[in-house]
Amino acid sequence: MNLVLDIALTHILGRLRQTLVSVVGVALGVGFTVAMSALMVGSQNDFVTQLIDAIPHVNLTDEQRDAKPQPAAAAFAAVEIHGLRPSEDRRGLRNPAEVIAIVRGIVPGGRVAASLIGQGVARYGGTDIAMSLTGIDPRAELQVTKIGEDIREGSLEALAGAQDAIVIGDAAARKLGARLGDTISVSTSKGLLKRFKIVGLFHSGVTASDEGAAFVLLKSAQILFDRANAVNQVKIKVPDIDQARAVATRIEREIGTKATSWEEAHESLLSSFQIRNVIMYTVVGAILLVAGFGIYNIVSTIVHEKARDIAILKSLGFAEGDMRAIFVIEGVIIGVLGALAGSALGFALTELLGLVKFEIKGGAVEITRLPLYRSWVHYAIAGGFAIVSAAVAGYLPARKAAKVKPVDIIRGAT
Amino acid sequence: MTSAAPTEALSPDAAPPPSTRPLIELRDVTRILSGVVDTTLVRDIDLCIDRGEFVAVTGPSGSGKSSLLYLLGLLDLPTSGDVLIDGRSTTDMDEAERARTRLAMLGFVFQFHFLLPEFTALGNVMIPMRKLGRLPERQMRQRATEILLSLGLDGQVDKRPEQLSGGQRQRVAIARALANDPPVILADEPTGSLDSKSSTQVFDILQSLVDTQGRTVITVTHDPVAAARCRRRIHLVDGRMVSDEKV
Ligand SMILES: Nc1ncnc2c1ncn2[C@@H]1O[C@H](COP(=O)(O)OP(=O)(O)OP(=O)(O)O)[C@@H](O)[C@H]1O
Ligand SMILES: [Mg+2]
């Protein structure tokens, strides 16, 4: 065996109990890192998956990112124009059929649903409430959102072909005092009024929409908003979720209005995950730091205790570098043992977490397990960090060992 | 630096290189420990020691004998002056190079054995060999065993230091000093902690290293009988060399 390693081993084997304590310290740090990473990444992925499932991946609207330049500004190459009455554009995505064709061309295999959203007032009995009214194609809509799963009474499909049918949020219905089968009237700012029969109630859990959203057929919405053949939103599900951002950019470039990917729409949520990760790694870093102090402590003790041996080895012809190597290796051995034990601990903890069952009481009692994401990368990061910090923890006392003057010790002994 | 690299002196069978250079040379060496009050350990020492010399360093306690030996053995650096080994100045060497010179050219024996407690007698003797790494493992083991046997340590080879007597430990320490076949052995009161029988035995060994193996042995001793056996006697008083007799 390598001599330096051999000597390092005799030192740490001579302090078996303290070595074990240090190894356990490192192992706890590594083990918790591995298990926590599995849980954090697992829950994050789970959340994102559920989110991605529930929402369209790309949302094309009729809005512009920046206000359109006024024709006058372009005509006169002006820097700034004041007192101009802006030319009024008819809003909405003109020619929906063409827009959808373009989108389908960009995302082959994607699912696409066009809709028209506007504001209206629902009235039943003496009660009025403001509503966000969405005109949809029920079949297409079901493919891009989870609204189908949120229906509590009736169904979304009942809208199909029924121009006088409406699906509203359950809280909105309660506010109005209306029930499934009742007929409510909806009016818009265009002064148009239409009567609808409630064919479905949904509960999404999002209060704003449960209290104030309603779905009707696209055709009915176009009539109510007086915008024949117009849509102002196209929801798209892409087959490959990682392509969402690229697809959004392309659609926006080709169609000219704003297209938002789910990542852009939920940027603040995704960045909150990052903050969560930073917090976790800080905690784990603190655990490993404490473990590092343990290693520093044991190696320092050995350097102190073995001062005589260090002097002997130097008098025999060991250089300062050899002495440093011996003590750094001692730290690294503890780090490696700790990383190995910690990996085993992390694996066991992860599997233990995997056994935990939850009962979630929603409509029906669901049994779920903790979402866990197992990856060798977590082991590599935790283990690598532990070994590197062990080497640093060994290096500090090792420098002191290298500087030991054999003469001082030999003289002291005689 | 000229032809003779330190390693040449090592090969056991080669005749001593035809060199007129002394093996060890001290040129006006002074070592002062600076502190609240500066302590002079040795002062103005000029000394040449050739191959095959058997040198006793004597003097009253505190006269600088050990200090001189540490300077000769490159364990300490002079405050001024130079120590040359085989014609090479060692004050210009870097720390690693001095360590290498110690490993290959110098063997130390101290008053206390200074063996590593976790290693057996054989293991201790093999440490300098393994550090030097010049022989394959099997030959190291064989050579270490031979040296131990030649010092009368049959049956003690696999014992740890704490299982050995004082005299046996000191002989293991000598065996370790001989491990890399160095031309120079430096001993600081090697018999200081031994009874008279063991002392005689250890001193006999040192003498045979000079007489039969042609090594240079420099030993600090308080014992006038032992000093009388050496062919050269250097006497120190207060860090100065006051006499240097050759017999
Ligand atoms: N670290 C130190 N600080 C101060 N003085 C020291 C130190 N080391 C040695 N000395 C002094 O240096 C002088 C020489 O010491 P050295 O050990 O070389 O003497 P010595 O001849 O070997 O003595 P002994 O026969 O007792 O071993 C002594 O006077 C000693 O007190
Ligand atoms: Mg002394």
Side-chain angles (χ1 to χ4, degrees):
Chain A
M1 202 198 313
N2 178 285
L3 177 59
V4 164
L5 182 63
D6 206 356
I7 293 170
L9 275 177
T10 66
H11 286 173
I12 60 175
L13 289 178
R15 304 201 127 259
L16 206 53
R17 228 186 45 211
Q18 217 187 332
T19 302
L20 283 180
V21 171
S22 296
V23 169
V24 167
V26 177
L28 287 177
V30 171
F32 281 117
T33 310
V34 167
M36 289 289 288
S37 301
L39 193 57
M40 298 279 285
V41 178
S43 64
Q44 187 171 320
N45 286 355
D46 188 58
F47 191 89
V48 169
T49 312
Q50 284 187 15
L51 181 73
I52 290 170
D53 262 11
I55 59 166
H57 302 158
V58 178
N59 210 355
L60 171 67
T61 66
D62 62 341
E63 293 163 30
Q64 301 287 336
R65 277 189 196 269
D66 303 301
K68 253 190 179 170
Q70 290 296 322
F76 302 114
V79 178
E80 238 179 271
I81 290 186
H82 291 282
L84 192 79
R85 187 169 170 275
S87 82
E88 229 174 89
D89 254 338
R90 205 174 72 107
R91 286 186 47 124
L93 292 162
R94 267 163 269 167
N95 201 349
E98 193 195 322
V99 166
I100 289 174
I102 292 172
V103 169
R104 282 198 197 285
I106 293 171
V107 209
R111 285 165 287 162
V112 184
S115 51
L116 178 66
I117 305 178
Q119 302 305 315
V121 175
R123 162 173 293 217
Y124 181 72
T127 321
D128 288 349
I129 57 172
M131 292 228 121
S132 150
L133 195 67
T134 309
I136 58 169
D137 168 358
R139 215 158 314 130
E141 191 74 10
L142 282 171
Q143 291 197 330
V144 298
T145 64
K146 283 210 154 179
I147 177 77
E149 291 175 15
D150 297 335
I151 299 289
R152 290 283 178 267
E153 285 180 65
S155 74
L156 197 71
E157 286 89 341
L159 282 182
Q163 289 223 20
D164 59 349
I166 192 167
V167 171
I168 66 172
D170 59 350
R174 218 171 309 124
K175 269 187 171 172
L176 288 168
R179 287 200 237 168
L180 196 71
D182 290 343
T183 300
I184 61 173
S185 60
V186 177
S187 57
T188 64
S189 57
K190 298 281 177 189
L192 295 164
L193 185 136
K194 203 166 156 40
R195 297 172 67 79
F196 292 99
K197 186 172 160 213
I198 300 175
V199 297
L201 296 176
F202 68 86
H203 179 85
S204 63
V206 180
T207 313
S209 89
D210 290 344
E211 283 186 348
F215 295 92
V216 297
L217 273 189
L218 181 56
K219 192 106 224 150
S220 312
Q222 285 168 343
I223 293 167
L224 262 179
F225 295 125
D226 186 23
R227 293 166 72 176
N229 204 24
V231 300
N232 58 9
Q233 187 183 35
V234 178
K235 302 188 194 102
I236 303 143
K237 285 256 188 198
V238 297
D240 178 2
I241 190 68
D242 296 328
Q243 291 299 314
R245 205 181 273 268
V247 165
T249 313
R250 253 193 89 188
I251 291 177
E252 182 161 331
R253 186 156 22 103
E254 298 206 7
I255 296 188
T257 57
K258 187 173 164 188
T260 320
S261 68
W262 69 275
E263 287 143 301
E264 189 186 343
H266 294 88
E267 211 147 23
S268 65
L269 183 76
L270 295 177
S271 70
S272 82
F273 281 139
Q274 262 157 23
I275 292 170
R276 218 168 65 136
N277 286 346
V278 168
I279 292 171
M280 184 195 83
Y281 285 114
T282 309
V283 170
V284 163
I287 299 177
L288 286 173
L289 193 68
V290 172
F293 273 115
I295 295 175
Y296 173 82
N297 190 37
I298 180 177
V299 179
S300 293
T301 310
I302 293 173
V303 167
H304 188 75
E305 238 177 29
K306 292 290 183 186
R308 207 189 69 132
D309 293 17
I310 295 168
I312 299 171
L313 290 171
K314 287 187 111 182
S315 76
L316 289 177
F318 280 64
E320 291 182 3
D322 301 316
M323 300 320 296
R324 266 195 300 273
I326 289 176
F327 293 96
V328 169
I329 284 175
E330 288 172 22
V332 169
I333 290 174
I334 295 172
V336 168
L337 290 178
L340 289 177
S343 298
L345 178 69
F347 181 79
L349 280 176
T350 310
E351 296 314 308
L352 222 61
L353 287 173
L355 294 178
V356 177
K357 283 180 199 160
F358 284 96
E359 284 184 7
I360 295 179
K361 293 197 178 75
V365 176
E366 263 184 273
I367 294 185
T368 38
R369 291 175 188 278
L370 287 173
L372 294 168
Y373 178 74
R374 298 169 179 83
S375 165
W376 64 268
V377 175
H378 298 156
Y379 290 85
I381 290 175
F385 188 78
I387 292 168
V388 169
S389 50
V392 173
Y395 179 74
L396 301 175
R399 264 188 337 185
K400 220 165 85 191
K403 291 292 172 207
V404 164
K405 289 206 176 66
V407 168
D408 294 344
I409 287 160
I410 293 165
R411 214 194 276 280
T414 27
Chain B
M1 188 180 113
T2 40
S3 66
T7 51
E8 276 177 34
L10 264 182
S11 93
D13 306 318
S19 160
T20 51
R21 279 194 311 255
L23 187 54
I24 300 181
E25 186 179 353
L26 267 64
R27 286 190 189 154
D28 199 20
V29 165
T30 296
R31 174 72 169 110
I32 296 168
L33 268 184
S34 47
V36 186
V37 262
D38 289 358
T39 315
T40 304
L41 303 183
V42 296
R43 179 174 290 279
D44 304 333
I45 307 266
D46 275 292
L47 184 66
C48 285
I49 295 169
D50 289 316
R51 286 172 181 75
E53 283 203 89
F54 191 16
V55 185
V57 181
T58 59
S61 180
S63 58
K65 305 183 292 296
S66 298
S67 305
L68 178 65
L69 206 73
Y70 301 149
L71 289 164
L72 288 170
L74 312 184
L75 286 180
D76 199 7
L77 281 174
T79 309
S80 66
D82 198 358
V83 178
L84 292 89
I85 304 269
D86 210 25
R88 280 196 68 194
S89 162
T90 59
T91 44
D92 321 332
M93 292 180 174
D94 64 13
E95 177 270 334
E97 211 172 339
R98 272 196 298 276
R100 233 175 357 259
T101 308
R102 267 201 308 276
L103 183 66
M105 309 249 331
L106 304 165
F108 282 97
V109 182
F110 299 103
Q111 178 176 0
F112 297 100
H113 58 81
F114 278 158
L115 299 174
L116 294 190
E118 298 92 351
F119 288 82
T120 62
L122 185 72
N124 268 286
V125 176
M126 283 176 68
I127 287 173
M129 298 182 179
R130 291 166 69 184
K131 181 73 195 94
L132 190 65
R134 201 168 281 164
L135 298 174
E137 163 91 23
R138 212 174 46 78
Q139 277 184 47
M140 286 189 218
R141 189 170 291 277
Q142 191 185 340
R143 178 174 155 75
T145 313
E146 275 167 20
I147 299 174
L148 284 166
L149 295 187
S150 75
L151 299 184
L153 288 164
D154 342 27
Q156 319 299 325
V157 172
D158 291 321
K159 287 190 181 169
R160 284 169 184 264
E162 82 255 15
Q163 299 168 302
L164 297 170
S165 74
Q168 287 169 334
R169 285 179 208 166
Q170 201 58 308
R171 279 180 281 154
V172 175
I174 295 174
R176 185 178 61 186
L178 292 170
N180 286 331
D181 197 16
V184 182
I185 298 291
L186 300 166
D188 192 356
E189 301 184 41
T191 61
S193 62
L194 301 179
D195 61 31
S196 64
K197 187 164 160 272
S198 302
S199 294
T200 314
Q201 200 178 18
V202 165
F203 221 85
D204 288 344
I205 292 168
L206 293 181
Q207 180 138 42
S208 75
L209 297 180
V210 179
D211 293 346
T212 65
Q213 299 178 9
R215 286 180 221 274
T216 304
V217 173
I218 303 164
T219 179
V220 172
T221 182
H222 274 307
D223 178 0
V225 182
R229 290 172 62 174
C230 299
R231 263 159 269 143
R232 184 173 178 186
R233 285 185 289 277
I234 292 167
H235 193 71
L236 298 183
V237 175
D238 285 343
R240 289 179 192 273
M241 197 165 81
V242 294
S243 78
D244 178 3
E245 334 161 33
K246 291 188 192 182
V247 183

